[in-house]
Amino acid sequence: MIQRRAFLLASVAMLSLVGGPALASQAGNAGATRKRNIRLAGARAPIEIREERLGIPHIRAQSKHDAFFGQGYVIARDRLFQIDLAQRRDLGRMAESFGPRFVPADRAARLFQYRGDIDAELASLPPEVLDCARGFVAGVNARIAELEADPTQLPLEYGILGITPLRWDVRDFVRVRSDGMGDADDEIRHAMLQARSLLHLDEFMDPLRPAWQFTVPEGLDCAAVSEADLGALLDAAKPLPWGDRKVTSYDRELDRLALAAQGSNAWTVAGSRTASGRPILANDPHLGIGGASPRYISHLTAPGLDVIGGGEPGMPGIMQGHTGRFAFGRTNFHIDQTDLFILRTREDDPEQYWHNGEWKHFETVTEEIAVKGAKAEQVVLRYAQGRPIVSQDPSRHRAVAFASVSLLPGANMRFAMIAINLAHDWASLCKAFEIHVSPTNIHYADVDGNTGWHAVGFTPKRPRHDGLFPAPGDGSYDWTGILKVEEMPNILNPEPGWFASANQMNLPPDYPYKERNISFSWSDPFRYNRIAEVLSAQPKHRLEDSVALQHDVQSLPARALLKLIPATLSPEATPAAALLRRWNCGIESGSAAALLYEQVMPELSSAFRELVIPKAARDLIKSVNLSQMLKLLAAPDQRLGSDPAAARDALIDKALAAGWAKAVKLRGADPAQWQWGDLHRVVIAHPLSAIPAIAAAFPKIDGGMSGGDGTTPMARGVSARNFNVMHGASYLLVADVGAWDNSRMLLLPGQSADRRSPHYRDFYQDWLTANTQPLWFSKAAVDAHAVSRTVLTPA
């Protein structure tokens, strides 16, 4: 499953420009509050912004519109290039600034935009939600207007690249919808394996959870399916061609593995199981690490609104945080939200396709893509029933349509956080979920002691298939709607007193999944099982326990491996086994055994794949699922050969020997000098560092060693290219429900993406050392810790 997720990485400016414009609040000591007044168009009344030492803005407005105006303004002040680049990519406007190589990406971006009635979509939103969104957009544009009046304050990237920021329009929140190909590549793989009579092998790559049997849709010719059917979806997934980077070097499998390892942790503990008697909600979203944070912390206050926490920089509102009444967190839930439909086109007119008993013409949209340094290019975009046509083969009378819930009317995800932030209790929160498209586990805990979990996200109804294969596009397999919010799994005040989500398969045992096919693809449960192990053993959980659990590096796969090490080993494997047997299975940054383990496991996985996956399937099954591998090694059977136990022992012996040799090559012959953190480093680089001028102007932030890997609660995904940390919890929250000023948080690397600001990396060391910081909320606490006060006055 490949998804294009919008975590654009950092921009970091030249340190020498310390005398540059005040793009972010300046560091200082509490009590020495600096004051500033700014006149801006777009606000309806004066807005006060108090900022504390780490650059967290507390926005106090007289209306909700103006609170979101303030949020848009400070985000554009601190993260303008980050959100502007994302906006250009999503709108398909890269080529106009960066040249012809970006035309394919622009075409793909435009193909997946919403083509319905935008005015009708805006009118369907709750008026208060729309008004807040307009406020956010006005705030972004107010900051851009400031920069247009005084270009010396522009982030340095604009001068280097010779571009200027794009103005924002609330209509683009409706227009930009798609979030990648979903599981379309899985559907293709299933069909191709079925055509080779090798579909049973897919369990080694992506096991079906809960238990399920593949059924090929009637009328689908699996032998005709190929990866070419993905067409424009592959263009959308490829990285942008900055500098000399070649798109042909893009490795889809590395991308898939990286995304599969991503996720988030969240747990909610009821007051009955905490030392304080108050609920605790903890959340750490695992997103891309390597640049500017995919979260921005802010506090919005107005009559009827008081919310604080982290949000996606280009989206209005708070995604993980709390109001004055309840805390809320989120992790990725799994919903199959996409399908490929194979269309039969007319032999004498490839612009027509067969659907519901008649020939229909493709809907077409012609767009002009402006291209820097070249003539504008015209592209024709085709749709069938509103579904983008991602590939066409007139010679085979064939076209492929891509169905995604994000392209349905009402799928207005970019407004969803506002609706959540305006809720005041469980019932109104559930109402807000009606426009929440993305598959999400929502965690909830309120000041009255209630705790709740709700899986949300648009889930298509498929009466005749399960979404595991492409389906014939003749209309007989069309979706018939989406599940209602109340039809999704949920629970209020669960009996055990705690619950957690870490992207594992968490459908309740009594959920009617056979009638409501939500998903059959889920993350391995290692992080969840470790979280459950800890929480179930803590009858009086404390805030510091949640902080410790967010930084827990105990590896359950490592435990499983140690149990499998044979008693008799080759001389080459013996030293590795001896080191691992003395280990506590913690993936700690200073651990030699952890470094060795991280070399052994890829060797074991590779050898296991060669043993169980025949050559005829290896082009499709390019990696094996860790949980499935450990399960078969623990209970070996004929799939390992005629002597399964001996084959298992040989695999492990070989992996131990190869892992030891690799560790020696990487760090020398003395294990006393090995430390996992010497390889596993936290490096922050500019996303455009392939451009020499950007690389020269924006040096990397480096030096941080990390523990953990993608399977530990402290998830720190390992890059297959260089062992660096590639994803993890760049934002962490532990909320003390009702005693809000006790809540703790962290961010990486800082609030600002401009190195001229003191807040571009001031969280870096605290994040590395798990030194959580207070998330001040009450007016008294905010005023006591504010170091600057800015008043935005309507022009």
Side-chain angles (χ1 to χ4, degrees), residues 528-558:
Y528 171 79
N529 288 344
R530 173 58 179 167
I531 292 166
E533 179 181 73
V534 172
L535 291 180
S536 61
Q538 292 176 337
K540 294 298 177 183
H541 188 77
R542 304 165 300 162
L543 286 179
E544 51 265 44
D545 295 326
S546 272
V547 171
L549 186 51
Q550 287 180 332
H551 295 89
D552 186 284
V553 293
Q554 185 65 198
S555 169
L556 299 193

PDB file of all heavy atoms in Angstrom, residues 528-558:
ATOM      1  N   TYR A 528       1.601  -2.257  19.871  1.00  0.00           N
ATOM      2  CA  TYR A 528       0.418  -2.370  20.723  1.00  0.00           C
ATOM      3  C   TYR A 528       0.622  -3.404  21.825  1.00  0.00           C
ATOM      4  O   TYR A 528       0.273  -3.159  22.996  1.00  0.00           O
ATOM      5  CB  TYR A 528      -0.812  -2.753  19.903  1.00  0.00           C
ATOM      6  CG  TYR A 528      -1.987  -3.075  20.797  1.00  0.00           C
ATOM      7  CD1 TYR A 528      -2.742  -2.060  21.365  1.00  0.00           C
ATOM      8  CD2 TYR A 528      -2.304  -4.397  21.123  1.00  0.00           C
ATOM      9  CE1 TYR A 528      -3.799  -2.344  22.228  1.00  0.00           C
ATOM     10  CE2 TYR A 528      -3.346  -4.692  21.984  1.00  0.00           C
ATOM     11  CZ  TYR A 528      -4.082  -3.657  22.532  1.00  0.00           C
ATOM     12  OH  TYR A 528      -5.106  -3.935  23.407  1.00  0.00           O
ATOM     13  N   ASN A 529       1.179  -4.549  21.499  1.00  0.00           N
ATOM     14  CA  ASN A 529       1.346  -5.599  22.507  1.00  0.00           C
ATOM     15  C   ASN A 529       2.265  -5.153  23.637  1.00  0.00           C
ATOM     16  O   ASN A 529       2.042  -5.490  24.803  1.00  0.00           O
ATOM     17  CB  ASN A 529       1.881  -6.873  21.857  1.00  0.00           C
ATOM     18  CG  ASN A 529       0.837  -7.561  20.997  1.00  0.00           C
ATOM     19  OD1 ASN A 529      -0.354  -7.276  21.090  1.00  0.00           O
ATOM     20  ND2 ASN A 529       1.271  -8.461  20.132  1.00  0.00           N
ATOM     21  N   ARG A 530       3.302  -4.399  23.312  1.00  0.00           N
ATOM     22  CA  ARG A 530       4.176  -3.893  24.371  1.00  0.00           C
ATOM     23  C   ARG A 530       3.453  -2.838  25.216  1.00  0.00           C
ATOM     24  O   ARG A 530       3.568  -2.833  26.449  1.00  0.00           O
ATOM     25  CB  ARG A 530       5.453  -3.314  23.758  1.00  0.00           C
ATOM     26  CG  ARG A 530       6.352  -2.602  24.751  1.00  0.00           C
ATOM     27  CD  ARG A 530       6.783  -3.498  25.918  1.00  0.00           C
ATOM     28  NE  ARG A 530       7.673  -2.764  26.830  1.00  0.00           N
ATOM     29  CZ  ARG A 530       8.001  -3.176  28.044  1.00  0.00           C
ATOM     30  NH1 ARG A 530       7.540  -4.334  28.517  1.00  0.00           N
ATOM     31  NH2 ARG A 530       8.806  -2.456  28.797  1.00  0.00           N
ATOM     32  N   ILE A 531       2.705  -1.951  24.572  1.00  0.00           N
ATOM     33  CA  ILE A 531       1.932  -0.950  25.314  1.00  0.00           C
ATOM     34  C   ILE A 531       0.939  -1.625  26.242  1.00  0.00           C
ATOM     35  O   ILE A 531       0.801  -1.262  27.421  1.00  0.00           O
ATOM     36  CB  ILE A 531       1.214  -0.010  24.331  1.00  0.00           C
ATOM     37  CG1 ILE A 531       2.230   0.856  23.581  1.00  0.00           C
ATOM     38  CG2 ILE A 531       0.199   0.879  25.054  1.00  0.00           C
ATOM     39  CD1 ILE A 531       1.671   1.572  22.371  1.00  0.00           C
ATOM     40  N   ALA A 532       0.242  -2.644  25.726  1.00  0.00           N
ATOM     41  CA  ALA A 532      -0.730  -3.376  26.544  1.00  0.00           C
ATOM     42  C   ALA A 532      -0.045  -4.074  27.715  1.00  0.00           C
ATOM     43  O   ALA A 532      -0.584  -4.117  28.833  1.00  0.00           O
ATOM     44  CB  ALA A 532      -1.475  -4.388  25.677  1.00  0.00           C
ATOM     45  N   GLU A 533       1.122  -4.620  27.474  1.00  0.00           N
ATOM     46  CA  GLU A 533       1.879  -5.296  28.532  1.00  0.00           C
ATOM     47  C   GLU A 533       2.180  -4.329  29.678  1.00  0.00           C
ATOM     48  O   GLU A 533       2.036  -4.675  30.855  1.00  0.00           O
ATOM     49  CB  GLU A 533       3.176  -5.847  27.944  1.00  0.00           C
ATOM     50  CG  GLU A 533       4.097  -6.549  28.916  1.00  0.00           C
ATOM     51  CD  GLU A 533       5.362  -7.044  28.234  1.00  0.00           C
ATOM     52  OE1 GLU A 533       6.229  -6.211  27.907  1.00  0.00           O
ATOM     53  OE2 GLU A 533       5.458  -8.268  28.011  1.00  0.00           O
ATOM     54  N   VAL A 534       2.565  -3.119  29.336  1.00  0.00           N
ATOM     55  CA  VAL A 534       2.915  -2.129  30.362  1.00  0.00           C
ATOM     56  C   VAL A 534       1.666  -1.597  31.068  1.00  0.00           C
ATOM     57  O   VAL A 534       1.597  -1.549  32.304  1.00  0.00           O
ATOM     58  CB  VAL A 534       3.717  -0.977  29.723  1.00  0.00           C
ATOM     59  CG1 VAL A 534       3.913   0.161  30.727  1.00  0.00           C
ATOM     60  CG2 VAL A 534       5.068  -1.491  29.226  1.00  0.00           C
ATOM     61  N   LEU A 535       0.672  -1.178  30.300  1.00  0.00           N
ATOM     62  CA  LEU A 535      -0.516  -0.567  30.906  1.00  0.00           C
ATOM     63  C   LEU A 535      -1.286  -1.547  31.789  1.00  0.00           C
ATOM     64  O   LEU A 535      -1.803  -1.169  32.843  1.00  0.00           O
ATOM     65  CB  LEU A 535      -1.429  -0.004  29.820  1.00  0.00           C
ATOM     66  CG  LEU A 535      -0.918   1.215  29.057  1.00  0.00           C
ATOM     67  CD1 LEU A 535      -1.943   1.653  28.018  1.00  0.00           C
ATOM     68  CD2 LEU A 535      -0.598   2.370  30.002  1.00  0.00           C
ATOM     69  N   SER A 536      -1.374  -2.787  31.367  1.00  0.00           N
ATOM     70  CA  SER A 536      -2.128  -3.770  32.161  1.00  0.00           C
ATOM     71  C   SER A 536      -1.451  -4.063  33.489  1.00  0.00           C
ATOM     72  O   SER A 536      -2.101  -4.551  34.425  1.00  0.00           O
ATOM     73  CB  SER A 536      -2.313  -5.062  31.362  1.00  0.00           C
ATOM     74  OG  SER A 536      -1.056  -5.633  31.041  1.00  0.00           O
ATOM     75  N   ALA A 537      -0.157  -3.748  33.596  1.00  0.00           N
ATOM     76  CA  ALA A 537       0.578  -3.999  34.841  1.00  0.00           C
ATOM     77  C   ALA A 537       0.652  -2.761  35.734  1.00  0.00           C
ATOM     78  O   ALA A 537       1.313  -2.796  36.770  1.00  0.00           O
ATOM     79  CB  ALA A 537       1.993  -4.484  34.509  1.00  0.00           C
ATOM     80  N   GLN A 538      -0.023  -1.680  35.338  1.00  0.00           N
ATOM     81  CA  GLN A 538       0.036  -0.435  36.115  1.00  0.00           C
ATOM     82  C   GLN A 538      -1.358  -0.051  36.607  1.00  0.00           C
ATOM     83  O   GLN A 538      -2.097   0.656  35.926  1.00  0.00           O
ATOM     84  CB  GLN A 538       0.613   0.694  35.253  1.00  0.00           C
ATOM     85  CG  GLN A 538       2.073   0.512  34.904  1.00  0.00           C
ATOM     86  CD  GLN A 538       2.589   1.604  33.977  1.00  0.00           C
ATOM     87  OE1 GLN A 538       1.828   2.249  33.254  1.00  0.00           O
ATOM     88  NE2 GLN A 538       3.895   1.815  33.987  1.00  0.00           N
ATOM     89  N   PRO A 539      -1.740  -0.475  37.806  1.00  0.00           N
ATOM     90  CA  PRO A 539      -3.078  -0.138  38.307  1.00  0.00           C
ATOM     91  C   PRO A 539      -3.238   1.334  38.650  1.00  0.00           C
ATOM     92  O   PRO A 539      -4.368   1.838  38.721  1.00  0.00           O
ATOM     93  CB  PRO A 539      -3.211  -1.016  39.557  1.00  0.00           C
ATOM     94  CG  PRO A 539      -1.808  -1.296  39.985  1.00  0.00           C
ATOM     95  CD  PRO A 539      -1.007  -1.357  38.718  1.00  0.00           C
ATOM     96  N   LYS A 540      -2.126   2.050  38.862  1.00  0.00           N
ATOM     97  CA  LYS A 540      -2.188   3.474  39.186  1.00  0.00           C
ATOM     98  C   LYS A 540      -1.216   4.233  38.285  1.00  0.00           C
ATOM     99  O   LYS A 540      -0.133   4.643  38.685  1.00  0.00           O
ATOM    100  CB  LYS A 540      -1.856   3.706  40.664  1.00  0.00           C
ATOM    101  CG  LYS A 540      -2.883   3.131  41.623  1.00  0.00           C
ATOM    102  CD  LYS A 540      -4.269   3.775  41.429  1.00  0.00           C
ATOM    103  CE  LYS A 540      -5.328   3.157  42.331  1.00  0.00           C
ATOM    104  NZ  LYS A 540      -6.682   3.737  42.083  1.00  0.00           N
ATOM    105  N   HIS A 541      -1.636   4.391  37.059  1.00  0.00           N
ATOM    106  CA  HIS A 541      -0.809   5.003  36.031  1.00  0.00           C
ATOM    107  C   HIS A 541      -0.614   6.499  36.317  1.00  0.00           C
ATOM    108  O   HIS A 541      -1.525   7.187  36.772  1.00  0.00           O
ATOM    109  CB  HIS A 541      -1.499   4.811  34.674  1.00  0.00           C
ATOM    110  CG  HIS A 541      -0.690   5.219  33.498  1.00  0.00           C
ATOM    111  ND1 HIS A 541       0.334   4.455  32.990  1.00  0.00           N
ATOM    112  CD2 HIS A 541      -0.762   6.330  32.700  1.00  0.00           C
ATOM    113  CE1 HIS A 541       0.853   5.055  31.923  1.00  0.00           C
ATOM    114  NE2 HIS A 541       0.208   6.196  31.738  1.00  0.00           N
ATOM    115  N   ARG A 542       0.589   7.003  36.017  1.00  0.00           N
ATOM    116  CA  ARG A 542       0.925   8.409  36.237  1.00  0.00           C
ATOM    117  C   ARG A 542       1.377   9.055  34.930  1.00  0.00           C
ATOM    118  O   ARG A 542       1.712   8.367  33.962  1.00  0.00           O
ATOM    119  CB  ARG A 542       2.050   8.523  37.282  1.00  0.00           C
ATOM    120  CG  ARG A 542       1.766   7.858  38.619  1.00  0.00           C
ATOM    121  CD  ARG A 542       3.061   7.723  39.416  1.00  0.00           C
ATOM    122  NE  ARG A 542       4.030   6.910  38.673  1.00  0.00           N
ATOM    123  CZ  ARG A 542       5.347   6.884  38.929  1.00  0.00           C
ATOM    124  NH1 ARG A 542       5.844   7.620  39.908  1.00  0.00           N
ATOM    125  NH2 ARG A 542       6.160   6.124  38.213  1.00  0.00           N
ATOM    126  N   LEU A 543       1.414  10.400  34.927  1.00  0.00           N
ATOM    127  CA  LEU A 543       1.876  11.110  33.739  1.00  0.00           C
ATOM    128  C   LEU A 543       3.274  10.651  33.338  1.00  0.00           C
ATOM    129  O   LEU A 543       3.554  10.412  32.162  1.00  0.00           O
ATOM    130  CB  LEU A 543       1.900  12.626  33.987  1.00  0.00           C
ATOM    131  CG  LEU A 543       0.579  13.380  34.031  1.00  0.00           C
ATOM    132  CD1 LEU A 543       0.848  14.840  34.322  1.00  0.00           C
ATOM    133  CD2 LEU A 543      -0.191  13.245  32.727  1.00  0.00           C
ATOM    134  N   GLU A 544       4.167  10.526  34.344  1.00  0.00           N
ATOM    135  CA  GLU A 544       5.534  10.126  34.025  1.00  0.00           C
ATOM    136  C   GLU A 544       5.600   8.712  33.471  1.00  0.00           C
ATOM    137  O   GLU A 544       6.531   8.365  32.722  1.00  0.00           O
ATOM    138  CB  GLU A 544       6.446  10.279  35.254  1.00  0.00           C
ATOM    139  CG  GLU A 544       5.939   9.628  36.506  1.00  0.00           C
ATOM    140  CD  GLU A 544       5.177  10.577  37.418  1.00  0.00           C
ATOM    141  OE1 GLU A 544       4.337  11.366  36.900  1.00  0.00           O
ATOM    142  OE2 GLU A 544       5.415  10.531  38.636  1.00  0.00           O
ATOM    143  N   ASP A 545       4.612   7.867  33.813  1.00  0.00           N
ATOM    144  CA  ASP A 545       4.555   6.531  33.222  1.00  0.00           C
ATOM    145  C   ASP A 545       4.241   6.606  31.734  1.00  0.00           C
ATOM    146  O   ASP A 545       4.799   5.853  30.925  1.00  0.00           O
ATOM    147  CB  ASP A 545       3.503   5.679  33.927  1.00  0.00           C
ATOM    148  CG  ASP A 545       3.853   5.396  35.378  1.00  0.00           C
ATOM    149  OD1 ASP A 545       5.053   5.255  35.679  1.00  0.00           O
ATOM    150  OD2 ASP A 545       2.926   5.326  36.203  1.00  0.00           O
ATOM    151  N   SER A 546       3.344   7.524  31.374  1.00  0.00           N
ATOM    152  CA  SER A 546       3.037   7.697  29.947  1.00  0.00           C
ATOM    153  C   SER A 546       4.237   8.231  29.187  1.00  0.00           C
ATOM    154  O   SER A 546       4.535   7.782  28.068  1.00  0.00           O
ATOM    155  CB  SER A 546       1.837   8.638  29.768  1.00  0.00           C
ATOM    156  OG  SER A 546       0.619   7.939  29.812  1.00  0.00           O
ATOM    157  N   VAL A 547       4.947   9.189  29.781  1.00  0.00           N
ATOM    158  CA  VAL A 547       6.144   9.716  29.127  1.00  0.00           C
ATOM    159  C   VAL A 547       7.163   8.602  28.929  1.00  0.00           C
ATOM    160  O   VAL A 547       7.768   8.467  27.850  1.00  0.00           O
ATOM    161  CB  VAL A 547       6.744  10.870  29.951  1.00  0.00           C
ATOM    162  CG1 VAL A 547       8.105  11.275  29.392  1.00  0.00           C
ATOM    163  CG2 VAL A 547       5.809  12.072  29.961  1.00  0.00           C
ATOM    164  N   ALA A 548       7.351   7.776  29.974  1.00  0.00           N
ATOM    165  CA  ALA A 548       8.302   6.667  29.866  1.00  0.00           C
ATOM    166  C   ALA A 548       7.877   5.672  28.800  1.00  0.00           C
ATOM    167  O   ALA A 548       8.714   5.161  28.029  1.00  0.00           O
ATOM    168  CB  ALA A 548       8.441   5.972  31.214  1.00  0.00           C
ATOM    169  N   LEU A 549       6.584   5.408  28.697  1.00  0.00           N
ATOM    170  CA  LEU A 549       6.099   4.447  27.706  1.00  0.00           C
ATOM    171  C   LEU A 549       6.263   4.989  26.283  1.00  0.00           C
ATOM    172  O   LEU A 549       6.546   4.240  25.349  1.00  0.00           O
ATOM    173  CB  LEU A 549       4.639   4.095  27.993  1.00  0.00           C
ATOM    174  CG  LEU A 549       4.001   3.006  27.140  1.00  0.00           C
ATOM    175  CD1 LEU A 549       4.850   1.738  27.095  1.00  0.00           C
ATOM    176  CD2 LEU A 549       2.593   2.687  27.656  1.00  0.00           C
ATOM    177  N   GLN A 550       6.106   6.294  26.126  1.00  0.00           N
ATOM    178  CA  GLN A 550       6.342   6.882  24.808  1.00  0.00           C
ATOM    179  C   GLN A 550       7.797   6.727  24.371  1.00  0.00           C
ATOM    180  O   GLN A 550       8.090   6.789  23.175  1.00  0.00           O
ATOM    181  CB  GLN A 550       5.955   8.363  24.816  1.00  0.00           C
ATOM    182  CG  GLN A 550       4.462   8.609  24.839  1.00  0.00           C
ATOM    183  CD  GLN A 550       4.105  10.075  24.847  1.00  0.00           C
ATOM    184  OE1 GLN A 550       4.881  10.909  25.335  1.00  0.00           O
ATOM    185  NE2 GLN A 550       2.944  10.419  24.318  1.00  0.00           N
ATOM    186  N   HIS A 551       8.683   6.516  25.328  1.00  0.00           N
ATOM    187  CA  HIS A 551      10.111   6.372  25.018  1.00  0.00           C
ATOM    188  C   HIS A 551      10.616   4.955  25.308  1.00  0.00           C
ATOM    189  O   HIS A 551      11.817   4.731  25.418  1.00  0.00           O
ATOM    190  CB  HIS A 551      10.920   7.411  25.789  1.00  0.00           C
ATOM    191  CG  HIS A 551      10.610   8.818  25.381  1.00  0.00           C
ATOM    192  ND1 HIS A 551       9.600   9.557  25.977  1.00  0.00           N
ATOM    193  CD2 HIS A 551      11.126   9.605  24.402  1.00  0.00           C
ATOM    194  CE1 HIS A 551       9.534  10.749  25.402  1.00  0.00           C
ATOM    195  NE2 HIS A 551      10.445  10.800  24.448  1.00  0.00           N
ATOM    196  N   ASP A 552       9.686   4.015  25.384  1.00  0.00           N
ATOM    197  CA  ASP A 552      10.030   2.615  25.654  1.00  0.00           C
ATOM    198  C   ASP A 552      10.642   1.985  24.402  1.00  0.00           C
ATOM    199  O   ASP A 552      10.110   2.128  23.294  1.00  0.00           O
ATOM    200  CB  ASP A 552       8.755   1.865  26.063  1.00  0.00           C
ATOM    201  CG  ASP A 552       9.031   0.439  26.502  1.00  0.00           C
ATOM    202  OD1 ASP A 552       9.268  -0.417  25.626  1.00  0.00           O
ATOM    203  OD2 ASP A 552       9.002   0.183  27.709  1.00  0.00           O
ATOM    204  N   VAL A 553      11.761   1.282  24.572  1.00  0.00           N
ATOM    205  CA  VAL A 553      12.450   0.685  23.424  1.00  0.00           C
ATOM    206  C   VAL A 553      12.532  -0.836  23.529  1.00  0.00           C
ATOM    207  O   VAL A 553      13.345  -1.471  22.861  1.00  0.00           O
ATOM    208  CB  VAL A 553      13.872   1.282  23.255  1.00  0.00           C
ATOM    209  CG1 VAL A 553      13.783   2.747  22.862  1.00  0.00           C
ATOM    210  CG2 VAL A 553      14.701   1.114  24.521  1.00  0.00           C
ATOM    211  N   GLN A 554      11.676  -1.429  24.341  1.00  0.00           N
ATOM    212  CA  GLN A 554      11.661  -2.881  24.449  1.00  0.00           C
ATOM    213  C   GLN A 554      11.111  -3.471  23.148  1.00  0.00           C
ATOM    214  O   GLN A 554      10.050  -3.076  22.648  1.00  0.00           O
ATOM    215  CB  GLN A 554      10.787  -3.323  25.614  1.00  0.00           C
ATOM    216  CG  GLN A 554      10.789  -4.798  25.893  1.00  0.00           C
ATOM    217  CD  GLN A 554      12.129  -5.358  26.348  1.00  0.00           C
ATOM    218  OE1 GLN A 554      12.344  -6.563  26.290  1.00  0.00           O
ATOM    219  NE2 GLN A 554      13.038  -4.499  26.805  1.00  0.00           N
ATOM    220  N   SER A 555      11.849  -4.447  22.596  1.00  0.00           N
ATOM    221  CA  SER A 555      11.509  -5.021  21.296  1.00  0.00           C
ATOM    222  C   SER A 555      10.919  -6.412  21.464  1.00  0.00           C
ATOM    223  O   SER A 555      11.605  -7.342  21.891  1.00  0.00           O
ATOM    224  CB  SER A 555      12.756  -5.092  20.417  1.00  0.00           C
ATOM    225  OG  SER A 555      12.510  -5.855  19.258  1.00  0.00           O
ATOM    226  N   LEU A 556       9.663  -6.579  21.097  1.00  0.00           N
ATOM    227  CA  LEU A 556       9.046  -7.898  21.149  1.00  0.00           C
ATOM    228  C   LEU A 556       9.581  -8.818  20.043  1.00  0.00           C
ATOM    229  O   LEU A 556       9.761 -10.014  20.290  1.00  0.00           O
ATOM    230  CB  LEU A 556       7.526  -7.774  21.070  1.00  0.00           C
ATOM    231  CG  LEU A 556       6.854  -6.982  22.198  1.00  0.00           C
ATOM    232  CD1 LEU A 556       5.348  -7.204  22.175  1.00  0.00           C
ATOM    233  CD2 LEU A 556       7.420  -7.317  23.564  1.00  0.00           C
ATOM    234  N   PRO A 557       9.859  -8.328  18.834  1.00  0.00           N
ATOM    235  CA  PRO A 557      10.507  -9.210  17.857  1.00  0.00           C
ATOM    236  C   PRO A 557      11.874  -9.706  18.330  1.00  0.00           C
ATOM    237  O   PRO A 557      12.249 -10.853  18.043  1.00  0.00           O
ATOM    238  CB  PRO A 557      10.635  -8.325  16.616  1.00  0.00           C
ATOM    239  CG  PRO A 557       9.549  -7.320  16.750  1.00  0.00           C
ATOM    240  CD  PRO A 557       9.449  -7.046  18.219  1.00  0.00           C
ATOM    241  N   ALA A 558      12.613  -8.874  19.046  1.00  0.00           N
ATOM    242  CA  ALA A 558      13.908  -9.323  19.561  1.00  0.00           C
ATOM    243  C   ALA A 558      13.717 -10.451  20.568  1.00  0.00           C
ATOM    244  O   ALA A 558      14.465 -11.430  20.571  1.00  0.00           O
ATOM    245  CB  ALA A 558      14.653  -8.154  20.203  1.00  0.00           C
TER     246      ALA A 558
END
